[in-house]
Amino acid sequence: MAMASSDNAVRSSNFTRALIYLVLILFALFYLLPFGIMLVNSLKPLEEITGGNMIALPQNWTIAPWLSAWSTAQIGVQPTGLRPYFINSIVMAVPAVAISTFVGALNGYVLTKWHFRGATWIFGLLLFSCFIPFQIVLIPMARILGILNISGTAYGLILVHVVYGIGFSTLYFRNYYAVFPTELVRAAQIDGAGFFQIFWRIMLPSSGPIIAVCCIWQFTNIWNDFLFGASFASGGSAPMTVALNNLVNSSTGVREYNVHFAGAIMAAGPTLLVYIVAGRYFVRGLMAGSVKG
Amino acid sequence: MGFLDINNVTKSYGSVEVLHKVDIQVQEGEFLVLVGPSGCGKSTLLNMIAGLEGITSGEIVIKDRVVNDVQPSKRNIAMVFQSYALYPNMTVGQNITFGLEMQGTPKAERDAAMADVAKLLQIEDLLKRKPGQLSGGQRQRVAMGRALVRDPDVFLFDEPLSNLDAKLRVDMRTEIKKLHQKLGTTIVYVTHDQIEAMTLSTRIAVMYNGYVQQLGTPKEIYDNPANLFVATFMGSPAMNVLPSKLVEMNGALHAQIQGADGQDVHLRIEDAPEAYRAFVGKDVVFGIRPEAITDPEGADRNARNIQALSNLVSVTEPAGADTFVSTTLSGKDCVARMRADADVHPGRPFEFAVNMDKAVLFDPKTENRIA
Amino acid sequence: MAATDPMLSGGADFRTRLQNWLPKIVLAPSLAVMVIFVYGFIAFTVYLSFTDSRMLPSYGFVGFENYSDLFQIRTWDTAVTNLAIFASLYIVICTIIGLMLAILLDQKIRGEGFLRPIFLYPMALSFIVTGTAWKWMLDPAIGLENTMHLWGWESFEFNWIKDGDMAIYTIVIAAVWQSSGFVMAMFLAGLRGIDNEILKAAQMDGASNFQLYRRIILPQLRPAFLSAFVILSHLAIKSYDLVIALTGGGPGNATALPATFMYSYTFTRNQMGIGASSAVIMLMTIAAIMVPYLYAELREKK
């Protein structure tokens, strides 16, 4: 990945360079502003928002909105705050990410190193499943979850996210393993390693970067999912995004903007943290994920 | 029956046959080189011996055991790959002993075996390193170590030197040859480099288009190539092949070629094989290696039939020990190999000495050597 | 495609044959899951779209009635029009901004490592978060308009989010904010992949910077343009969360999109047959873009 600064041959004058910096900084502000405003206003008392300037810093700093959003705000009918929903999302996302990544790794390994007739077709079908509008599966999925009796549970959402996450995780690992030297697999075969031994001893130990990419991608997608959460999890079992939407769009009472902002930042927290810690991998993964089939 | 028998082996992918009835018997201790241009099927054949590719028909027999359905690891073979295929996540030591570990050899035995091999290849101080920290030559040694430690019946080499730079390649070539002489193991070695084939092998199989074109000792292959492909593929610079006509003059056979001035030149052939008679008066292809065309003083003293040929020199290329001289014969560029001090100049005529003992003729239709 | 071919013939022992079957056994569950949960479900939904299903699936066959009804519904009309406006603006603006930022960032910018993550971070956020942030920023009472008034620009008016005709454009703004950084990253990767010697050669040939980009660089970014188009268009068609969080589809139905339409007809209005037929149309739209693209990509690889 050519993210490292390269020796570009294009040169420009001082004036254009100043202009370039100006444009870039303006755009940086554009991207930072919404989040900055959320952060600033989440630390203000409500009167300062309704009666004041959204860009101004708080006159009376307060963390009350954060406490409220976390543990006492009204979500739906219960004044539970977002905490239980945050936990719901963790309980849902962690196993779903782990399972879909592992399955994707095995699939990628099979599709690249044990190529057989029809493998390209199978991969094409998997790949297309990444891009379907999920509306097309909502109705039957709701039925199946009902039949399996896991409707509205964490298991139900884990199943859904694993099922629709396999396509992307397979894509990542397939692309990664496609350029992984096949000679290594052959050498291991001659050394007497079997199918799973090759996977555990040779492939996985060299897959650190792609595991990171895949986990980040899956985590971001699953954590940020709204459609499945809203469709298949009701009330207390809803994930964070659904709870946040309930908080923000509940029509009763005074609109506590500062609490909404605090809640939104909480919902953004885990993926932002992952992005800050491992953003470089994230970008690389997106490149690879941009359907370089 | 040999030590490794390849009996009428073919390989097809779907309806496309890529290897046609290959039949080679390798004796114990032999160094067989499979050589040919890319796509000739040599690597496929090697992978079939290794068990990495299935056999469509025919048999591969190692030490009297048919191994068609035997897994690679159970064939008692070892393989050195072009890319070395060292496991990047393991140390050199772990790389070498991974095969033994997979076979369930106890650790003490593995370590002893590793120590022996490391000593033999002088890689003792690399054992704790990862492959990424090694130079190309060191990786090559480790790859050989991994093969040697298993004490296999047959060693398979898949273009093991092609990733090394020119100097290292020559060094490692010598080293492989020494190792073979020292251990006396049976080796099948794939390369596209005809010099490697000539220097290393006890026997060579020249392959092209999925056929073994010729199987023989390096000398046989070089001196008596079976056909035009073998003649031009083996040897560098390549053998000169000139359109020619076989004529009978003054009771002797002559190869008639055309000089640079358009005049016919006749080169007398002595002790012609009986098969030549059938081609008298017909077109043939006249083949002569560059070192068989020299200046008169540089001609082979043991040669019985040296013919003089005067022709215009087009280009001279001094290459240190030798000077390569080009001249046009029968409308084709013909290269002669001379001593560095030969007195040749481009644009002037020169008296070439052609060692007709080394000349060969090919049938232009079948491209086979006439013999 | 290089790969092992360990297919040994019939006489192999059991372990050997098991090893040969293992890859297929390992792939089988994924294949089964995909066949059922993706293609089976698609088939089921397609089937439902030809039935009289309302609150629950029902199996009375009604032919194309749902589809003909669908195109009579005013909201669907709005949703399709909105999608056309939203998708075209979203794709075009994201591409322009993304390409511009990528080109500017590629001018050996000091602090690139600092700016790039700032451009990119929105895409780590949930659309719900993005929607929440922009919902209040665009709210006339407390957001941008209010701020301008407080700064003394009394006549400033920016109430698109409350305006049925303009609300769809607020969705474009928020969506562009979220995705343009990602497009930038795709173009940047493309730019960095161009052989520098080609650029040097073009400069030797006397190409100006502008000509360099127009004649040499942009044509080589074709794959990046294509990827960006495919990804943005499928995101646009699937857009659901952002609308829900930003406008809830309102005011009225002014910002309805096919995705919100499908959801409300299926789950709140109990018109499952019509909901299913709208989902089928969404799928076909995406398939029309994705299938040729994926086909070309996979064929190229062979």
Side-chain angles (χ1 to χ4, degrees):
Chain A
M1 192 50 49
M3 270 297 154
S5 165
S6 65
D7 179 26
N8 197 322
V10 182
R11 299 247 170 236
S12 38
S13 75
N14 276 341
F15 174 73
T16 28
R17 291 196 75 75
L19 204 64
I20 288 170
Y21 278 100
L22 184 70
V23 172
L24 287 174
I25 288 166
L26 283 177
F27 266 94
L29 285 177
F30 168 67
Y31 288 114
L32 283 175
L33 202 61
F35 199 80
I37 286 173
M38 282 208 293
L39 192 61
V40 167
N41 288 284
S42 73
L43 296 165
K44 281 179 191 171
L46 190 58
E47 320 81 73
E48 273 188 46
I49 299 179
T50 48
N53 188 334
M54 70 171 176
I55 294 175
L57 286 178
Q59 283 152 358
N60 302 304
W61 294 80
T62 171
I63 57 161
W66 282 75
L67 297 176
S68 166
W70 183 243
S71 52
T72 61
Q74 185 96 8
I75 312 286
V77 287
Q78 299 285 340
T80 54
L82 289 168
R83 185 177 52 177
Y85 304 98
F86 192 89
I87 294 168
N88 284 347
S89 270
I90 297 267
V91 166
M92 164 190 83
V94 171
V97 169
I99 296 171
S100 61
T101 302
F102 180 73
V103 172
L106 272 176
N107 288 349
Y109 168 54
V110 171
L111 287 173
T112 53
K113 300 305 170 201
W114 302 85
H115 202 75
F116 50 83
R117 202 175 285 223
T120 309
W121 267 102
I122 292 177
F123 179 62
L125 289 176
L126 270 171
L127 199 53
F128 181 68
S129 77
C130 297
F131 298 99
I132 58 166
F134 291 124
Q135 281 77 13
I136 197 82
V137 298
L138 283 184
I139 301 167
M141 195 71 196
R143 301 277 293 164
I144 291 280
L145 292 179
I147 291 166
L148 296 174
N149 209 17
I150 48 174
S151 195
T153 67
Y155 295 113
L157 280 183
I158 291 172
L159 175 75
V160 173
H161 285 301
V162 168
V163 165
Y164 299 110
I166 287 176
F168 262 117
S169 60
T170 302
L171 169 67
Y172 282 129
F173 281 95
R174 178 188 173 276
N175 286 352
Y176 186 78
Y177 288 152
V179 291
F180 187 90
T182 299
E183 284 198 343
L184 281 174
V185 176
R186 297 186 158 198
Q189 275 184 292
I190 288 183
D191 274 343
F195 177 83
F196 285 110
Q197 278 170 319
I198 295 174
F199 182 64
W200 287 113
R201 299 285 304 271
I202 312 292
M203 306 296 285
L204 270 193
S206 302
S207 306
I210 198 66
I211 291 173
V213 165
C214 187
C215 283
I216 294 165
W217 172 265
Q218 296 287 15
F219 182 77
T220 312
N221 270 348
I222 293 171
W223 182 274
N224 288 342
D225 160 71
F226 178 76
L227 183 62
F228 288 139
S231 307
F232 305 133
S234 48
S237 65
M240 189 68 174
T241 46
V242 174
L244 174 66
N245 191 50
N246 287 345
L247 170 71
V248 173
N249 287 320
S250 59
S251 44
T252 53
V254 185
R255 291 204 156 151
E256 295 184 294
Y257 300 122
N258 48 0
V259 175
H260 299 171
F261 290 141
I265 296 172
M266 283 174 197
T271 47
L272 264 188
L273 186 74
V274 164
Y275 173 78
I276 291 165
V277 171
R280 276 169 300 131
Y281 291 117
F282 193 74
V283 177
R284 257 179 252 181
L286 286 169
M287 300 297 107
S290 65
V291 218
K292 282 282 129 233
Chain B
M1 282 280 256
F3 189 77
L4 162 68
D5 290 347
I6 302 162
N7 294 333
N8 276 320
V9 163
T10 62
K11 173 75 184 175
S12 309
Y13 293 109
S15 58
V16 187
E17 193 169 284
V18 295
L19 272 183
H20 320 276
K21 288 207 182 278
V22 174
D23 205 40
I24 303 173
Q25 277 70 43
V26 185
Q27 302 304 321
E28 184 162 12
E30 246 195 299
F31 197 131
L32 173 74
V33 172
L34 308 175
V35 66
S38 56
C40 70
K42 59 192 191 296
S43 287
T44 306
L45 181 58
L46 194 75
N47 284 333
M48 286 161 80
I49 300 172
L52 297 168
E53 300 215 30
I55 297 161
T56 308
S57 74
E59 274 183 354
I60 291 180
V61 184
I62 299 174
K63 268 187 146 178
D64 299 334
R65 180 172 63 136
V66 178
V67 294
N68 286 30
D69 292 325
V70 179
Q71 277 186 39
S73 56
K74 304 276 164 59
R75 295 187 179 195
N76 204 17
I77 45 123
M79 187 154 170
V80 176
F81 292 88
Q82 179 171 12
S83 66
Y84 317 133
L86 300 179
Y87 311 126
N89 53 308
M90 302 182 194
T91 63
V92 166
Q94 287 166 330
N95 259 286
I96 292 177
T97 55
F98 183 73
L100 298 177
E101 188 190 334
M102 289 294 112
Q103 286 164 17
T105 312
K107 180 140 186 14
E109 260 177 68
R110 291 193 325 239
D111 288 346
M114 175 177 79
D116 286 349
V117 167
K119 188 155 175 258
L120 179 70
L121 293 170
Q122 299 161 338
I123 49 173
E124 287 118 316
D125 40 342
L126 303 179
L127 292 175
K128 294 267 180 292
R129 293 206 205 155
K130 291 271 180 77
Q133 299 164 299
L134 304 181
S135 69
Q138 288 170 329
R139 282 180 213 190
Q140 167 70 46
R141 278 166 195 275
V142 175
M144 297 215 309
R146 185 170 66 183
L148 282 171
V149 77
R150 311 185 53 196
D151 191 23
D153 291 332
V154 182
F155 280 98
L156 307 174
F157 286 84
D158 189 3
E159 309 226 11
L161 303 181
S162 57
N163 283 352
L164 299 176
D165 63 50
K167 162 130 181 44
L168 206 50
R169 188 153 48 208
V170 175
D171 294 348
M172 288 308 294
R173 201 167 71 199
T174 315
E175 198 136 351
I176 291 175
K177 182 134 193 173
K178 275 189 201 155
L179 213 55
H180 175 243
Q181 281 165 356
K182 189 162 161 189
L183 302 173
T185 45
T186 311
I187 295 179
V188 180
Y189 185 109
V190 162
T191 182
H192 64 268
D193 179 348
Q194 47 89 19
I195 296 178
E196 257 174 52
M198 296 295 292
T199 49
L200 285 171
S201 66
T202 56
R203 266 202 307 164
I204 297 176
V206 184
M207 297 181 67
Y208 183 59
N209 270 346
Y211 288 96
V212 174
Q213 304 284 334
Q214 190 173 6
L215 176 65
T217 63
K219 188 170 163 49
E220 282 166 7
I221 300 261
Y222 191 78
D223 288 344
N224 298 314
N227 55 38
L228 269 176
F229 173 78
V230 176
T232 49
F233 186 77
M234 302 300 289
S236 172
M239 179 186 272
N240 301 300
V241 288
L242 310 170
S244 160
K245 197 174 184 180
L246 193 61
V247 293
E248 190 159 18
M249 287 166 56
N250 312 328
L253 290 180
H254 288 75
Q256 172 184 310
I257 54 179
Q258 206 176 42
D261 52 5
Q263 297 296 311
D264 283 345
V265 181
H266 294 96
L267 298 168
R268 196 177 72 249
I269 300 167
E270 286 179 3
D271 304 323
E274 199 49 40
Y276 281 20
R277 303 252 30 127
F279 286 87
V280 173
K282 291 185 182 157
D283 286 340
V284 292
V285 175
F286 177 76
I288 185 101
R289 293 217 177 262
E291 63 270 22
I293 310 176
T294 56
D295 56 310
E297 290 80 35
D300 186 354
R301 259 164 255 253
N302 298 322
R304 285 160 299 158
N305 177 15
I306 291 182
Q307 302 272 305
L309 179 129
S310 191
N311 208 28
L312 199 68
V313 173
S314 49
V315 179
T316 64
E317 296 171 84
D322 305 304
T323 296
F324 294 104
V325 178
S326 295
T327 181
T328 305
L329 286 169
S330 293
K332 295 220 172 182
D333 220 22
C334 177
V335 178
R337 184 175 195 158
M338 307 200 180
R339 297 167 300 136
D341 53 1
D343 188 27
V344 275
H345 305 281
R348 292 198 207 154
F350 184 76
E351 183 93 347
F352 294 91
V354 181
N355 179 358
M356 289 299 287
D357 294 359
K358 298 285 186 188
V360 284
L361 295 184
F362 299 93
D363 179 343
K365 288 198 196 70
T366 64
E367 301 203 342
N368 288 331
R369 186 162 56 91
I370 303 166
Chain C
M1 185 164 304
T4 50
D5 166 34
M7 267 178 273
L8 309 173
S9 45
D13 62 68
F14 175 72
R15 270 205 48 173
T16 308
R17 270 184 291 167
L18 180 68
Q19 283 286 335
N20 292 338
W21 276 99
L22 262 180
K24 286 169 195 171
I25 294 170
V26 165
L27 197 61
S30 296
L31 188 61
V33 159
M34 185 181 70
V35 166
I36 297 168
F37 285 84
V38 178
Y39 297 96
F41 282 11
I42 289 175
F44 185 72
T45 306
V46 170
Y47 177 70
L48 281 186
S49 73
F50 292 108
T51 67
D52 56 358
S53 303
R54 295 214 163 244
M55 197 170 118
L56 290 171
S58 126
Y59 303 104
F61 190 76
V62 295
F64 281 92
E65 194 180 302
N66 287 323
Y67 289 91
S68 60
D69 285 355
L70 181 65
F71 285 96
Q72 307 289 324
I73 298 171
R74 176 95 59 81
T75 317
W76 174 252
D77 206 42
T78 314
V80 171
T81 314
N82 278 342
L83 179 61
I85 297 172
F86 170 70
S88 45
L89 285 177
Y90 172 65
I91 293 169
V92 169
I93 299 175
C94 275
T95 307
I96 292 173
I97 293 182
L99 181 62
M100 182 187 74
L101 290 179
I103 289 177
L104 295 185
L105 265 190
D106 200 36
Q107 308 300 317
K108 288 198 174 170
I109 290 302
R110 210 172 296 176
E112 187 198 323
F114 175 75
L115 287 168
R116 213 174 49 219
I118 292 177
F119 295 164
L120 258 173
Y121 88 92
M123 66 154 319
L125 304 182
S126 156
F127 274 117
I128 300 295
V129 173
T130 303
T132 307
W134 283 93
K135 183 190 184 86
W136 303 134
M137 282 197 26
L138 299 174
D139 188 300
I142 63 161
L144 194 60
E145 186 176 310
N146 182 40
T147 304
M148 288 303 168
H149 292 175
L150 288 174
W151 279 353
W153 186 356
E154 295 290 342
S155 61
F156 182 84
E157 209 174 286
F158 192 77
N159 61 351
W160 286 7
I161 199 162
K162 303 278 183 202
D163 178 345
D165 290 332
M166 302 306 283
I168 188 70
Y169 300 103
T170 63
I171 294 177
V172 174
I173 295 174
V176 165
W177 179 80
Q178 167 123 7
S179 312
S180 48
F182 164 60
V183 179
M184 181 273 305
M186 290 177 74
F187 280 119
L188 195 56
L191 285 172
R192 298 283 153 87
I194 293 176
D195 183 358
N196 236 324
E197 295 198 343
I198 295 178
L199 303 187
K200 286 179 184 160
Q203 284 186 316
M204 301 285 243
D205 284 340
S208 68
N209 271 353
F210 177 74
Q211 286 169 321
L212 195 63
Y213 273 99
R214 208 179 72 79
R215 300 282 300 278
I216 312 287
I217 296 177
L218 291 189
Q220 291 199 60
L221 289 181
R222 234 179 70 104
F225 275 106
L226 190 60
S227 301
F229 171 76
V230 166
I231 287 177
L232 290 173
S233 58
H234 111 273
L235 282 178
I237 296 167
K238 286 162 86 168
S239 284
Y240 174 73
D241 320 9
L242 184 61
V243 181
I244 294 298
L246 191 62
T247 64
N253 283 323
T255 51
L257 285 179
T260 62
F261 175 93
M262 183 274 166
Y263 197 90
S264 75
Y265 267 72
T266 308
F267 294 109
T268 51
R269 295 186 177 213
N270 297 332
Q271 295 272 11
M272 193 175 276
I274 290 183
S277 59
S278 67
V280 170
I281 291 191
M282 289 175 66
L283 176 74
M284 293 197 315
T285 317
I286 286 187
I289 298 168
M290 293 306 301
V291 169
Y293 178 68
L294 294 180
Y295 184 73
E297 285 280 332
L298 288 175
R299 243 170 70 105
E300 217 169 87
K301 275 273 177 173
K302 267 194 175 174

